Amino acid sequence: MPEHKDAADCGCWGCQSIAREGVGVCVVHLVAEQDKVPPAVVSELNLCPVCDDRMRADLHLVADRWDEAQDALHPSRGGDSERHAQRTEAPLPLNVSVSDALMIVRDNIWSVALRLIDDHPGLSLPADQTTPSLAEWLARWQMVKIAGATDKSFTRQAYWWVAEAADQIAAKTYGVETTAKLPDQYCKRPGCKGQLFIAERSDGVKTVRCAADAHHAVQWDTWTNMLKSFGAQKRRGPRLSRKLI
């Protein structure tokens, strides 16, 4: 059993026990903020609405950005195989940090999937068992089983497995960005009014994203074309600050 650490994702016996004993409150917040009253859970689940949404978004992020992270293994080589497993045999120079990150992502997503199979004897893995497909399968069809598990400590562990996977893959695909707010521009997605900002990666790729939900994003060229079509963009876009917001 791991030793206790002063962090929200601690997996020691004491923190797992606290998570198991929580009744009607979010098992993530229960341990992460022990000096505060944890938020209430979604009906019959072990997670609050924020953590439930975050976990779904993280799974979608893994699914959406897996291929991009794979390409980062060998910048001059394409393909869709999970090439981190061939690290010592790669014919081209390999980015070891990306390889290590993808192995963490793969292990974490598989850990969640295999635990579900163990807990639900009638449940079968999807035919496509690549990491992004498993992540999408978990997000679309298995979140109720994960968030509503009888063993609340599994819900909490699964949340942090997925969070770590999303953090790893985001770090290898977004890279170091410079960002700037788009003044008076807000997300138009239904029910969302998040502030929009433009992010530029080190490779020059620009994306307009919503501060409230990273999935609300569009490429810069698409965004400017949309504005031009409505007669709202008559000049060059805002100059990026070199400082992060």
Side-chain angles (χ1 to χ4, degrees):
M1 182 66 67
E3 295 183 359
H4 177 72
K5 60 180 180 179
D6 188 17
D9 60 342
C10 178
C12 77
W13 180 86
C15 287
Q16 289 195 29
S17 296
I18 293 174
R20 284 194 294 270
E21 294 166 5
V23 178
V25 294
C26 177
V27 295
V28 173
H29 286 84
L30 185 64
V31 179
E33 302 173 348
Q34 296 183 35
D35 60 334
K36 299 179 182 179
V37 177
V41 297
V42 179
S43 178
E44 299 183 359
L45 300 183
N46 304 322
L47 298 175
C48 66
V50 172
C51 288
D52 187 64
D53 289 345
R54 165 70 188 274
M55 191 172 179
R56 290 176 191 272
D58 282 349
L59 285 166
H60 283 303
L61 180 67
V62 170
D64 294 344
R65 292 193 165 269
W66 179 264
D67 286 346
E68 186 176 339
Q70 286 270 299
D71 290 340
L73 283 171
H74 306 292
S76 61
R77 176 179 175 177
D80 58 1
S81 62
E82 298 192 4
R83 294 187 293 276
H84 62 277
Q86 305 170 6
R87 183 162 71 183
T88 60
E89 301 175 4
L92 297 175
L94 182 77
N95 187 323
V96 175
S97 68
V98 176
S99 177
D100 290 343
L102 289 180
M103 283 191 283
I104 293 172
V105 175
R106 182 183 184 279
D107 289 348
N108 286 13
I109 296 301
W110 270 97
S111 293
V112 177
L114 292 177
R115 173 62 188 271
L116 277 180
I117 297 299
D118 287 343
D119 289 351
H120 301 275
L123 185 64
S124 298
L125 292 173
D128 185 349
Q129 296 177 13
T130 59
T131 301
S133 293
L134 281 178
E136 188 69 22
W137 176 71
L138 292 172
R140 288 173 60 88
W141 309 111
Q142 307 305 326
M143 272 300 299
V144 172
K145 293 184 181 69
I146 299 170
T150 302
D151 182 356
K152 296 178 181 180
S153 63
F154 166 60
T155 299
R156 180 170 172 272
Q157 181 63 70
Y159 176 91
W160 288 114
W161 272 332
V162 171
E164 182 184 30
D167 287 346
Q168 289 286 339
I169 208 162
K172 302 307 177 185
T173 55
Y174 283 127
V176 178
E177 295 180 329
T178 54
T179 61
K181 291 181 180 179
L182 291 171
D184 301 321
Q185 296 291 334
Y186 299 93
C187 186
K188 302 298 184 182
R189 297 290 184 92
C192 184
K193 296 182 180 180
Q195 169 75 52
L196 294 182
F197 64 94
I198 180 173
E200 182 177 9
R201 296 191 325 217
S202 56
D203 60 3
V205 174
K206 298 178 183 178
T207 307
V208 174
R209 294 208 296 272
C210 170
D213 190 332
H215 279 84
H216 298 171
V218 64
Q219 293 298 314
W220 173 248
D221 290 345
T222 302
W223 171 257
T224 55
N225 288 337
M226 289 169 56
L227 291 181
K228 288 177 181 178
S229 69
F230 288 105
Q233 179 74 14
K234 301 298 185 182
R235 63 185 185 279
R236 189 174 181 179
R239 186 180 183 87
L240 279 178
S241 169
R242 304 312 296 177
K243 296 181 180 180
L244 297 176
I245 58 171

